[in-house]
Amino acid sequence: MHLVALPALADNYIWLQHDDDGHALVVDPGEAEPVERALRERGLSLRAILLTHHHQDHIGGVEALRRNHAAEVYAPHDLRIDHANQRLADGDTLELATPAARFDVIAVPGHTLSHIAYAGEGVLFCGDTLFSLGCGRLFEGTPAQMLASLDRLAALPGDLQVCCAHEYTAANGRFAREIDGGNAALEARLAEVARLRTAYQPTLPVPLERERQTNPFLRVDDPALVGWAARRGIGTLDREARFAAIRAAKDAYPG
Ligand code: ZN
Ligand code: FE
């Protein structure tokens, strides 16, 4: 399977995977036009649309794509998402015939309550749950829910390529350095991110293993972040409070 990041809207990525016979799937098409162009340019036929959550920047292109293509639409159980043929829940396996693909469905409440992620084919489509060097804002879920969701994603094989739905890495990295400044893996990633963005290249996908080494929201048990929280009066055993404090500090961080 080939993997392509299609830039869309202000800073979204629509992920496209296709096989050698030209069968394609896309994830979270917030608009149809970049997908149509990619299909045309690459001579692909769209067979499946995978959705992670109900936000408009992830589903805005679904109706138009469904009108023009014989594509099945897979979505979480959430009535705020129309135009789905099949609903998926935690523990389900999504098996596609064309392109031949198999994904494990993982419920990841936090950013929204019905958010799901897809893991398989060497990639993790995690929508707005896990970002490179960051995580999604808590619009509907609690810090405890989001932490549990990120724990589950972090436990997946480290060679999975993390395909997030937004290019937020550089801004996330500025905050990560604030609270995890001595982290050499983070410094190396930041240098790489600066190089990529200067060349107008995506910073994604990124192997999950590198996120475990660099993403503060996956490093709540690391001594550096335990120390950061302790200096703010958070007990060293309270990892939920630590996660909530990191998320709140990020929310308050400029840019
Ligand atoms: Zn969202
Ligand atoms: Fe989004």
Side-chain angles (χ1 to χ4, degrees):
M1 288 276 265
H2 306 268
L3 179 68
V4 187
L6 306 177
L9 302 169
D11 48 29
N12 283 71
Y13 289 123
I14 301 168
W15 291 96
L16 181 153
Q17 272 193 316
H18 70 88
D19 62 18
D20 289 327
D21 298 321
H23 304 120
L25 65 85
V26 293
V27 183
D28 286 355
E31 55 179 345
E33 197 273 333
V35 177
E36 296 289 8
R37 184 162 12 101
L39 296 173
R40 217 163 40 235
E41 286 173 359
R42 295 162 191 266
L44 305 172
S45 76
L46 182 64
R47 296 304 182 87
I49 298 172
L50 280 55
L51 304 177
T52 65
H53 69 294
H54 74 279
H55 286 158
Q56 192 63 19
D57 63 309
H58 298 254
I59 67 171
V62 173
E63 189 176 1
L65 289 172
R66 248 193 110 179
R67 251 197 323 270
N68 295 338
H69 305 275
E72 296 283 307
V73 181
Y74 302 92
H77 291 272
D78 190 321
L79 295 176
R80 295 172 294 189
I81 301 176
D82 293 327
H83 312 295
N85 316 85
Q86 201 175 312
R87 302 286 173 170
L88 297 168
D90 188 55
D92 285 347
T93 302
L94 171 58
E95 289 216 55
L96 302 177
T98 51
R102 185 190 165 96
F103 297 97
D104 293 324
V105 177
I106 305 165
V108 284
H111 177 68
T112 71
L113 288 177
S114 63
H115 198 305
I116 58 175
Y118 301 83
E121 304 305 315
V123 302
L124 171 63
F125 296 123
C126 49
D128 288 355
T129 296
L130 175 63
F131 292 126
S132 184
L133 306 182
C135 74
R137 282 181 188 266
L138 304 181
F139 286 123
E140 297 178 4
T142 64
Q145 281 176 314
M146 186 58 133
L147 178 58
S149 296
L150 292 174
D151 284 344
R152 289 188 68 188
L153 297 184
L156 294 169
D159 59 354
L160 280 183
Q161 293 288 332
V162 179
C163 297
C164 324
H166 289 274
E167 180 60 68
Y168 289 161
T169 314
N172 287 341
R174 285 191 286 279
F175 171 74
R177 181 187 261 153
E178 275 308 302
I179 67 170
D180 193 17
N183 181 345
L186 175 60
E187 287 305 316
R189 173 69 170 147
L190 292 174
E192 177 189 69
V193 167
R195 205 161 54 238
L196 288 167
R197 295 313 290 160
T198 302
Y200 302 99
Q201 296 295 309
T203 62
L204 304 166
V206 59
L208 182 58
E209 176 55 31
R210 287 194 78 190
E211 285 303 305
R212 290 200 287 247
Q213 296 165 357
T214 56
N215 187 325
F217 296 97
L218 303 186
R219 288 169 44 77
V220 294
D221 300 320
D222 186 273
L225 292 164
V226 173
W228 176 88
R231 292 191 291 279
R232 280 152 190 81
I234 294 163
T236 54
L237 296 180
D238 196 347
R239 67 193 298 271
E240 267 176 37
R242 198 153 56 238
F243 176 82
I246 297 170
R247 185 59 259 180
K250 174 68 169 69
D251 289 342
Y253 191 73

